[in-house]
Amino acid sequence: MDEYLDSLGLEFNPPKFLKIQGSTDCYDDDKILKQVLSCQINRFEINNQESRVYLQVVSYLSYNVPGDPLNFDKTKILDPDPLIHKLKTDLKSAYGEINSEKFNQLVERYNNQQIKKLFNADMAINYKIKLPKNESSPVDYTNVDVFMMRKDGRPAIIISILYSDRAKPFIKMNKKHINQSFKYKESLYVSDCRQMGIL
């Protein structure tokens, strides 16, 4: 896996408390999680915490969209940026139609200095979804936290954390470390760029 990520120009340094489980989780029975998470492979868990963490390298290449990609516009059905389209679709599945004020409450934008320093990326955003109670689940997962980042011409990253209210203090304290599991390298080898279709 290290060689694969290296070829994509990614550094991978997850915090030591994340333990990989190697299972596949599908959320077809939950309307919101079916949209936000769908089926996820390689679940990570944290000892003694009611949480699941999914780290995804998204296969399509990221690209920059002119202007502010997070400019909220309810009239747009599709966004040119697949990550922003996912964000808006996820929020709509959880909250229905929302206005720009609610949108800005739910979405945290990293500033340019943080984006470059923490991730060496072009964009980084975080959004939270509060889940309704699920009586049939042995663990009452009540929150999902989604972090997404991209760098022009590289695969995008999505990190999703599903957790209970009991795990909330731990996740709040350690979310930054989880989100920093991936960082973009400064440059790719020319051969890697050709292989990815960038050159």
Side-chain angles (χ1 to χ4, degrees):
M1 186 172 75
D2 287 343
E3 287 182 13
Y4 170 70
L5 293 173
D6 184 61
S7 74
L8 299 178
L10 286 166
E11 295 176 13
F12 182 53
N13 295 297
K16 295 194 185 308
F17 57 76
L18 281 188
K19 307 295 180 190
I20 192 165
Q21 293 299 316
S23 62
T24 299
D25 296 328
C26 290
Y27 294 94
D28 293 336
D29 298 331
D30 187 294
K31 178 184 150 231
I32 297 172
L33 292 181
K34 182 178 181 181
Q35 163 58 41
V36 179
L37 297 176
S38 185
C39 284
Q40 298 281 340
I41 60 171
N42 294 331
R43 178 177 79 226
F44 289 78
E45 290 186 351
I46 304 167
N47 289 341
N48 302 316
Q49 297 295 327
E50 295 176 342
S51 59
R52 295 177 172 186
V53 180
Y54 304 102
L55 310 179
Q56 296 174 264
V57 178
V58 183
S59 57
Y60 53 73
L61 297 182
S62 300
Y63 53 93
N64 285 321
V65 177
D68 182 1
L70 274 177
N71 182 28
F72 183 79
D73 184 355
K74 280 172 61 173
T75 63
K76 287 169 88 174
I77 299 171
L78 292 174
D79 285 273
D81 185 322
L83 288 185
I84 302 304
H85 177 67
K86 172 177 166 49
L87 180 157
K88 291 182 179 179
T89 307
D90 288 355
L91 293 181
K92 185 173 182 179
S93 73
Y95 301 106
E97 293 295 338
I98 59 174
N99 58 29
S100 59
E101 184 180 346
K102 177 76 170 174
F103 181 84
N104 289 326
Q105 287 172 1
L106 296 169
V107 179
E108 174 192 355
R109 308 178 194 211
Y110 288 77
N111 65 44
N112 287 339
Q113 188 176 1
Q114 291 172 315
I115 292 168
K116 294 297 181 190
K117 182 179 176 184
L118 298 176
F119 315 109
N120 189 28
D122 294 322
M123 181 195 81
I125 52 177
N126 206 101
Y127 57 99
K128 301 174 191 169
I129 291 173
K130 184 74 176 170
L131 301 170
K133 283 192 174 292
N134 185 349
E135 304 297 340
S136 62
S137 174
V139 176
D140 190 13
Y141 293 114
T142 51
N143 307 275
V144 62
D145 210 307
V146 181
F147 168 79
M148 301 192 297
M149 71 173 182
R150 68 168 184 222
K151 187 174 180 69
D152 193 19
R154 310 272 186 98
I157 300 296
I158 301 175
I159 299 176
S160 306
I161 309 171
L162 180 64
Y163 58 98
S164 71
D165 280 340
R166 285 181 288 276
K168 199 171 189 176
F170 182 91
I171 297 301
K172 185 176 181 181
M173 185 171 61
N174 291 284
K175 186 174 71 170
K176 177 182 172 185
H177 303 297
I178 296 171
N179 289 349
Q180 287 180 268
S181 295
F182 288 101
K183 185 174 183 176
Y184 290 106
K185 293 183 177 182
E186 285 298 329
S187 60
L188 287 170
Y189 294 112
V190 172
S191 60
D192 296 326
C193 294
R194 285 189 180 134
Q195 187 178 0
M196 293 171 64
I198 299 171
L199 294 177

